[in-house]
């Protein structure tokens, strides 16, 4: 099974910009991996932020955006807010088999 | 309003079995592919599997850690997707969520399964 990698932890200053990435052990991530991004705050159910690389839901704050960057899927947060402190998870699809990364703990400090 | 309500979790002994259910409302369930995802205590998310709509064949795919032990089924007349867990071990202890995926992205509140003797 493929391994999906994420940064274990990142820190961003309030108002700052940070990019989280989602890489694949099989090589470059493409739109064919159908990347998704999720936010999970302590004690809460995950929330789906981005689907199919770049698409947002009605509840996704505009400061979040998805892309492909340097052979990885990326989630960029522009203008970080204290409430963005959370765990962020991604998954990639391998011919319909989904594999999650280990998650990134984002600290806003 | 979309709602996904899981049930069926509890404490089960190693080697035991359990059936979880996820009742859906607020959307066209029969046309929706449904996923199960779990999260062990203090750990990340892990995909269990997905069942396609009947129109897409109604078949299911599974992640490597559970393939052969877990089975996903659906009853469109009850707007319900099931997760049958068998040969459980302590590593299966987790909160189990159903998720709609696609362009919907809704999560249930989860149900806790604890495997312990």
């Amino acid at each position: 099974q493929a391994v999906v990698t994420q940064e274990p932890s990142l820190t961003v200053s309030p108002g700052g910009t940070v990019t989280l990435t989602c890489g694949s052990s099989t090589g470059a991530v493409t739109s064919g991996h159908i990347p998704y991004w999720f936010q999970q705050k302590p004690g809460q159910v995950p929330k789906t932020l981005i689907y199919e690389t770049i698409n947002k839901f009605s509840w996704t704050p505009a400061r979040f955006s998805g892309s492909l960057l340097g052979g990885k899927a990326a989630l960029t947060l522009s203008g970080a807010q204290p409430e963005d402190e959370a765990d962020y998870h991604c998954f990639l699809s391998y011919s319909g088999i989904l594999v999650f990364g280990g998650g990134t703990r984002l600290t806003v400090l | 309003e979309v709602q996904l309500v899981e049930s069926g979790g509890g404490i089960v002994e190693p080697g035991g079995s359990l059936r979880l259910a996820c009742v859906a409302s607020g959307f066209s369930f029969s046309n929706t592919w449904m996923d199960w995802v779990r999260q062990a205590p203090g750990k990340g998310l892990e995909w269990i599997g997905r069942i396609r709509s009947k129109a897409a064949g109604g078949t299911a795919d599974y992640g490597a850690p559970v393939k052969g032990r877990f089975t996903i089924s659906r009853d469109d007349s009850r707007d319900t997707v099931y997760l049958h867990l068998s040969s459980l071990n302590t590593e299966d202890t987790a909160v189990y969520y159903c998720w709609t995926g696609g362009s919907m992205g809704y999560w249930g509140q989860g149900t806790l399964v604890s495997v312990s003797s």
Side-chain angles (χ1 to χ4, degrees):
Chain A
Q1 176 171 285
V3 176
V4 175
T5 55
Q6 296 183 249
E7 298 85 1
S9 63
L10 290 170
T11 299
V12 62
S13 300
T17 296
V18 64
T19 296
L20 291 67
T21 67
C22 183
S24 173
S25 63
T26 63
V29 175
T30 70
S31 58
H33 288 99
I34 319 178
Y36 276 65
W37 289 94
F38 307 86
Q39 178 192 64
Q40 187 177 29
K41 297 181 181 180
Q44 294 187 16
V45 175
K47 179 185 294 186
T48 316
L49 284 181
I50 300 288
Y51 69 101
E52 296 170 8
T53 310
I54 62 171
N55 299 291
K56 299 180 186 182
F57 294 90
S58 58
W59 54 78
T60 305
R63 58 186 180 274
F64 289 94
S65 62
S67 66
L68 295 176
L69 192 66
K72 297 181 181 182
L75 176 70
T76 299
L77 170 58
S78 303
Q81 301 297 310
E83 61 265 30
D84 298 328
E85 186 162 293
D87 291 330
Y88 291 83
H89 309 273
C90 71
F91 76 60
L92 301 176
S93 175
Y94 298 87
S95 300
I97 304 300
L98 308 185
V99 181
F100 276 94
T104 295
R105 176 149 296 177
L106 181 66
T107 301
V108 180
L109 188 62
Chain B
E1 179 194 7
V2 171
Q3 279 199 319
L4 298 170
V5 180
E6 299 97 335
S7 62
I11 301 172
V12 59
E13 292 186 346
S17 300
L18 209 56
R19 188 184 78 163
L20 308 182
C22 169
V23 179
S25 61
F27 63 97
S28 176
F29 178 80
S30 63
N31 293 323
T32 303
W33 298 23
M34 295 296 298
D35 293 64
W36 285 93
V37 176
R38 69 181 179 183
Q39 186 169 36
K43 302 295 186 182
L45 301 174
E46 182 175 49
W47 184 72
I48 294 171
R50 165 182 290 169
I51 188 164
R52 299 172 178 80
S53 64
K54 288 286 195 301
T59 54
D61 293 315
Y62 300 91
V66 305
K67 198 170 184 179
R69 297 191 300 126
F70 292 5
T71 303
I72 301 174
S73 62
R74 65 189 300 154
D75 183 345
D76 290 345
S77 69
R78 298 177 184 270
D79 289 345
T80 301
V81 59
Y82 300 98
L83 177 63
H84 305 256
L85 302 85
S86 63
S87 303
L88 287 163
N89 58 62
T90 56
E91 295 181 346
D92 297 315
T93 293
V95 176
Y96 286 74
Y97 298 99
C98 59
W99 178 64
T100 54
S103 60
M104 296 181 64
Y106 293 101
W107 291 79
Q109 85 288 351
T111 187
L112 176 62
V113 173
S114 293
V115 183
S116 172
S117 54

